[in-house]
Amino acid sequence: MKNPVTLPRRHLLTGSAAALSALGLAAWTRGVHAQAVPAAAAKPLPAYAGWKNPGSLIVHSSSTLETRRAAFGTGVVTPSSQLYIRNNLPAPDAAIVADRDAWSVSIEGVKAPRTLTLAELRTLGIETVTTVLQCSGNGRGFFPSKPSGTPWTVGAAGCVVWSGVPLRNVVAALGGLAGSAAYLTGTGGEKLPEGVDPLTVVVERSVPIQALDDAILAWEMNGEPMPLAHGGPLRLIVPGYQGVNNIKYVKRVAFGAEQSQARIMSHGYRMSPPGTKASPEQPSVWEMTTKSWINGPLPEQGTLKAGQVQVHGVAFGGTRGVKGVDVSVDGGKTWQAAQLIGPDLGRFAWRQFVLPVRLAAGSHELLSRATDTAGNVQPEQREENLGGYNNTSWRDHGVTVAVA
């Protein structure tokens, strides 16, 4: 276990944050807004997310907002105003962010268990990490089987900068783990409906204890206090893991030998084969794996003029960095190595890539295929499953453009 460190924040902005400092805060919180493509949302923004940019989002429901593919632009960090939203329960009352420092979280499974306020957490150290935040159902809209749930395409994802206290520091400050824990469990602080078994609705997820090395309790997102819509005042961030494991409004963190018995853990977010029912024996939706997609040019931008174009997109490797990306402009018959552009904000962040190509008149299917630092290559086909989870198929994520 790593030792706790209490240092001024300027000494802790290393790795991903050091690259950000070269950009300047304004460059990534304001500059990308101009790249968003204005478009009328089918539904109005819900009140708790009314501060977001409606032209950058597709409103599926009051709890599911998707970033438009054309709004990602070519910057690395996704502005908060256009980041997707997926809530399993309604957001709590905004009163919880009125006095952020008073928010408390219970730490269990350590030698000196106790409840800590956010103000106390701030004294235990600060770390900044840039991660891809992605709903495990991102890409569900490409499944021919039409799984139940939001038909996300690519927009239930973003690249986000989080600041908070490393969870390992908190554990160390409380004497270390009480025993040989196998899982780290986070519990959300949403208000539960009355008259039902709490285990059927509570947002509580367990991840392998190895995640403790990188997990943080974050109170800032993209350089600002954590918004209510994204889990403020405090969120458990588990870098490299699918979004559902990054617990909003975190009220409890526990370490133990067993996974949570909450239904969202025991039966929800399982890789259930088609034709079966979800069960605890099936693999849980945990780490993300190698994935990429193209964000431009796009068919909705109209017919392209024949000649040189810049094919660009994003790629990430879950818990690993991106080694490279190949691009095809002929439906996967041939591939060319793209260039990774922009700052490298660490192994949990995504990389932007670009390939200049000359396109002749006609129809062109554009595809991208990423490789992570361990040599894992993004697969051509999706893994069929009941929930439409973990779609990393490069074939599914392609786009077809017309050129004249």
Side-chain angles (χ1 to χ4, degrees):
M1 196 72 63
K2 300 177 182 178
N3 294 324
V5 180
T6 304
L7 294 173
R9 182 174 179 180
R10 63 181 178 272
H11 294 304
L12 289 152
L13 299 182
T14 58
S16 67
L20 274 177
S21 66
L23 297 179
L25 191 63
W28 55 264
T29 57
R30 295 196 301 266
V32 185
H33 292 185
Q35 299 170 359
V37 176
K43 301 175 184 177
L45 294 173
Y48 72 97
W51 52 273
K52 286 184 174 282
N53 182 345
S56 298
L57 297 164
I58 301 166
V59 181
H60 294 285
S61 72
S62 61
S63 61
T64 52
L65 281 65
E66 179 173 5
T67 306
R68 294 183 183 275
R69 194 167 190 159
F72 281 118
T74 54
V76 178
V77 176
T78 306
S80 303
S81 64
Q82 66 188 54
L83 182 65
Y84 84 100
I85 289 178
R86 166 67 171 108
N87 286 336
N88 281 286
L89 288 175
D93 191 277
I96 68 170
V97 294
D99 183 1
R100 292 172 178 271
D101 280 352
W103 183 263
S104 62
V105 57
S106 171
I107 311 296
E108 303 172 14
V110 292
K111 292 179 180 177
R114 59 168 292 190
T115 296
L116 296 167
T117 64
L118 198 159
E120 291 172 311
L121 290 173
R122 293 183 193 274
T123 70
L124 300 179
I126 299 175
E127 203 163 273
T128 295
V129 61
T130 305
T131 76
V132 172
L133 181 70
Q134 177 183 232
C135 176
S136 51
N138 199 31
R140 180 186 289 129
F142 300 127
F143 279 73
S145 57
K146 306 294 183 187
S148 62
T150 305
W152 311 105
T153 55
V154 301
C159 192
V160 185
V161 182
W162 314 96
S163 291
V165 60
L167 188 54
R168 62 182 183 273
N169 285 24
V170 179
V171 170
L174 299 181
L177 296 176
S180 56
Y183 297 99
L184 182 173
T185 298
T187 308
E190 294 95 339
K191 183 178 180 180
L192 304 183
E194 298 179 1
V196 299
D197 180 354
L199 288 178
T200 64
V201 291
V202 67
V203 179
E204 183 173 271
R205 293 281 297 175
S206 301
V207 296
I209 192 63
Q210 291 82 358
L212 174 60
D213 290 342
D214 301 303
I216 70 171
L217 293 172
W219 52 74
E220 282 186 13
M221 185 180 96
N222 286 352
E224 296 180 333
M226 185 79 66
L228 178 72
H230 291 288
L234 191 68
R235 183 169 185 172
L236 172 64
I237 297 301
V238 188
Y241 282 65
Q242 297 281 19
V244 69
N245 303 292
N246 294 253
I247 303 297
K248 301 182 182 76
Y249 325 108
V250 61
K251 287 294 290 182
R252 172 180 173 266
V253 174
F255 302 92
E258 304 294 335
Q259 297 180 22
S260 168
Q261 296 302 302
R263 187 163 183 83
I264 195 173
M265 185 72 219
S266 62
H267 291 75
Y269 296 89
R270 295 280 170 173
M271 292 296 287
S272 310
T276 67
K277 292 186 178 180
S279 73
E281 292 74 34
Q282 295 157 349
S284 188
V285 170
W286 280 334
E287 298 101 323
M288 294 181 289
T289 54
T290 313
K291 187 173 182 177
S292 71
W293 63 79
I294 287 168
N295 287 323
L298 299 175
E300 57 262 40
Q301 295 169 338
T303 302
L304 302 176
K305 183 179 179 181
Q308 183 158 299
V309 300
Q310 304 291 323
V311 179
H312 65 89
V314 295
F316 53 97
T319 57
R320 300 182 177 92
V322 175
K323 180 180 180 180
V325 180
D326 295 325
V327 168
S328 173
V329 298
D330 56 11
K333 296 176 183 177
T334 62
W335 297 87
Q336 302 178 65
Q339 178 187 357
L340 298 178
I341 59 171
D344 182 351
L345 300 185
R347 63 189 174 100
F348 303 116
W350 67 29
R351 298 298 307 272
Q352 290 276 356
F353 64 85
V354 65
L355 178 69
V357 294
R358 297 191 68 84
L359 297 181
S363 178
H364 298 266
E365 185 181 4
L366 311 181
L367 303 165
S368 64
R369 183 180 65 187
T371 302
D372 70 20
T373 52
N376 298 303
V377 180
Q378 182 179 354
E380 179 177 1
Q381 303 299 335
R382 76 192 80 84
E383 180 180 352
E384 300 292 343
N385 65 92
L386 191 64
Y389 299 131
N390 290 357
N391 188 354
T392 59
S393 160
W394 56 254
R395 179 69 66 185
D396 281 352
H397 288 78
V399 297
T400 300
V401 296
V403 178

